[in-house]
Amino acid sequence: MAIISGVAIENAPGFSFDGVHSSTYGVYLAKSPFLLLPELTNYFESIPGREGVVDYGATFQQRPIPLSCMVLATGEKDLRNKARQIAAWLDPAKGIRRLILDTEPDKFYQARVTNRIDVEQVAAQGRFEISFTAPDPYAYALDDEVFSYTGAGTYTFERDGTVVSYPKIEIRGTNTKGQGVIRVTLNGKGIGYTGSLSSSALLVIDSDSLTAYTETNGQRVSAINDIDSVDFPVTKPGENEVEIALTGVATITEVKIYCRTRWI
């Protein structure tokens, strides 16, 4: 029975990258250090004649995700063959891909490999270190929290996670330009849509991309000029309040809020 860090191989954790689990190539985690907080960019300013500095806050930099791995093989030839397959799987030329650690199977990062990887052969096994980097330092819910409403009114919902997130709001309904307004207010920030909307179209307000568009049969058309505010709403951990209001000829059949719940 093969053992990794005192754990039988069939119980050893691994990770998924780009939709493929590491066990596909016989790769398992020997160690996965957990970074409590990524590096910070601090904004301080010195003022002549004043002791200390003025604090203008901080922002998070990218999140490094170092993984120590073992790859199981039957011999050197098998190890080299697997190494080629692993290299193709992790190829950073593919760009950012979804990374899920078995130790947190309900969350994912958007990351890619950012280091040279040397394989050390130990008997029939291999050892190597991977440094993934997530340009966006947050972990996201694998199964996002989605809240749906079918009529005007004021509602509340509870969201998971530890930090604010930038939701996607999808609206189905109808409107005639200049004759009605569909307004969604989330935690005090409201956006009203004044353009035309057919029953076959989907209106999307995307706080992460800071944009709005309609989509019909896969064709997107910008709606940024048909919204009355670019102060896009956010969701927060805990209780959130959403208000859906209609004026004039506007109607709705469904409003969906995709929270994009996340953790630092």
Side-chain angles (χ1 to χ4, degrees), residues 43-263:
Y43 301 99
F44 296 121
E45 184 176 346
S46 297
I47 297 179
R50 177 173 172 174
E51 294 180 341
V53 295
V54 177
D55 182 9
Y56 288 107
T59 55
F60 291 117
Q61 297 182 21
Q62 69 271 23
R63 177 182 288 272
I65 305 173
L67 303 178
S68 296
C69 300
M70 294 288 295
V71 54
L72 302 184
T74 57
E76 183 174 355
K77 182 178 180 180
D78 184 42
L79 179 59
R80 288 181 177 273
N81 285 336
K82 284 185 174 179
R84 297 289 185 189
Q85 295 172 338
I86 293 166
W89 168 47
L90 299 177
D91 185 0
K94 295 192 294 185
I96 301 298
R97 293 290 188 269
R98 185 172 288 195
L99 172 65
I100 304 169
L101 305 179
D102 286 0
T103 49
E104 282 194 299
D106 61 335
K107 301 176 181 66
F108 71 90
Y109 297 94
Q110 293 286 83
R112 69 170 177 86
V113 172
T114 51
N115 71 310
R116 162 181 161 173
I117 301 176
D118 296 313
V119 179
E120 176 189 0
Q121 186 174 352
V122 181
Q125 301 178 10
R127 256 184 220 156
F128 59 91
E129 305 288 325
I130 306 176
S131 289
F132 284 100
T133 296
D136 179 343
Y138 297 97
Y140 288 82
L142 190 60
D143 294 317
D144 195 16
E145 295 177 285
V146 181
F147 299 92
S148 178
Y149 308 98
T150 57
T154 301
Y155 309 91
T156 60
F157 62 85
E158 292 283 332
R159 208 212 76 188
D160 203 353
T162 59
V163 291
V164 299
S165 64
Y166 302 99
K168 179 174 73 169
I169 302 171
E170 293 185 349
I171 300 168
R172 289 195 179 275
T174 61
N175 193 38
T176 301
K177 188 177 180 70
Q179 297 184 34
V181 180
I182 300 172
R183 181 173 301 279
V184 177
T185 302
L186 181 57
N187 296 321
K189 290 186 177 182
I191 291 183
Y193 176 72
T194 60
S196 293
L197 185 66
S198 71
S199 59
S200 60
L202 177 68
L203 170 63
V204 177
I205 298 171
D206 192 331
S207 292
D208 188 47
S209 300
L210 300 176
T211 192
Y213 58 88
T214 59
E215 184 173 317
T216 307
N217 298 323
Q219 299 297 313
R220 290 186 180 182
V221 177
S222 175
I224 199 70
N225 293 325
D226 291 318
I227 59 175
D228 61 9
S229 173
V230 290
D231 189 11
F232 287 84
V234 299
T235 67
K236 60 185 180 179
E239 185 175 274
N240 293 256
E241 182 177 272
V242 57
E243 180 183 356
I244 302 166
L246 305 170
T247 58
V249 301
T251 69
I252 64 159
T253 55
E254 185 177 40
V255 173
K256 273 188 178 181
I257 300 174
Y258 296 81
C259 290
R260 292 172 170 157
T261 298
R262 62 183 189 167
W263 292 256

Side-chain angles (χ1 to χ4, degrees), residues 1-14 23 27-30 70 72 102 125:
M1 178 186 295
I3 302 292
I4 294 179
S5 299
V7 178
I9 188 63
E10 61 269 20
N11 297 319
S23 60
V27 174
Y28 299 88
L29 292 177
M70 294 288 295
L72 302 184
D102 286 0
Q125 301 178 10

